[in-house]
């Protein structure tokens, strides 16, 4: 069975940057489509970004141009580079492997594996 573990984030000032990591074990990230999903305080889960097994990327409109998703094959790790952060980016961020390639679901029942989440708080 695969496992995912997120890290990074923390407290960041508005306009600042941070990077999240998602380390995989038990399977190769670049053989799968991978997603980032977040849940802000009092909000529903929201799909944030995807990277396909082909290497193609896609982003929610709310983060496009500010966030970049990538995979380091040697480290079997997915990254989410987050720039120009806004207070509304405050959330618990999860990485996950959707059961269906191309899925943009924010429902964890649609995922084969997901991590425990890592907190990003954007505040001055």
């Amino acid at each position: 069975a695969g496992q995912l573990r997120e890290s990074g984030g923390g407290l960041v000032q508005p306009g600042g940057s941070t990077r999240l990591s998602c380390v995989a074990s038990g399977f190769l990230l670049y053989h799968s489509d991978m997603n980032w999903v977040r849940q802000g305080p009092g909000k529903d889960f929201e799909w944030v970004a995807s990277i396909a097994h082909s290497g193609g990327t896609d982003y929610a409109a709310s983060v496009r141009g500010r966030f970049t998703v990538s995979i380091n094959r040697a480290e079997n790790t997915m990254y989410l580079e987050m720039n120009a952060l806004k207070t509304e980016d405050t959330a618990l961020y999860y990485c996950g492997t959707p059961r269906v390639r191309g899925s943009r679901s924010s429902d964890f029942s649609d995922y084969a594996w997901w991590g425990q989440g890592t907190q990003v708080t954007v505040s001055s």
Side-chain angles (χ1 to χ4, degrees), residues 17-86:
S17 299
T18 193
R19 187 178 74 166
L20 307 184
S21 300
C22 171
V23 179
S25 58
F27 72 104
L28 295 175
L29 279 177
Y30 64 90
H31 282 181
S32 305
D33 284 14
M34 295 294 300
N35 289 351
W36 286 98
V37 174
R38 69 184 180 185
Q39 185 182 30
K43 298 181 181 180
D44 292 332
F45 286 92
E46 175 190 19
W47 166 77
V48 175
S50 295
I51 184 163
H53 65 285
S54 62
T57 57
D58 192 17
Y59 301 91
S62 58
V63 307
R64 191 173 295 125
R66 301 187 297 122
F67 290 10
T68 303
V69 59
S70 62
I71 284 177
N72 183 312
R73 292 189 176 194
E75 297 176 353
N76 206 27
T77 299
M78 178 174 66
Y79 296 100
L80 186 66
E81 190 75 34
M82 307 165 67
N83 299 310
L85 282 162
K86 306 175 181 180

Side-chain angles (χ1 to χ4, degrees), residues 73-124:
R73 292 189 176 194
E75 297 176 353
N76 206 27
T77 299
M78 178 174 66
Y79 296 100
L80 186 66
E81 190 75 34
M82 307 165 67
N83 299 310
L85 282 162
K86 306 175 181 180
T87 55
E88 52 263 44
D89 294 318
T90 295
L92 192 57
Y93 285 75
Y94 300 87
C95 61
T97 309
R99 298 181 191 276
V100 177
R101 283 182 168 176
S103 172
R104 303 290 184 261
S105 176
S106 57
D107 184 342
F108 284 166
S109 66
D110 294 328
Y111 285 78
W113 303 297
W114 62 89
Q116 81 289 348
T118 188
Q119 179 68 38
V120 175
T121 301
V122 184
S123 174
S124 55

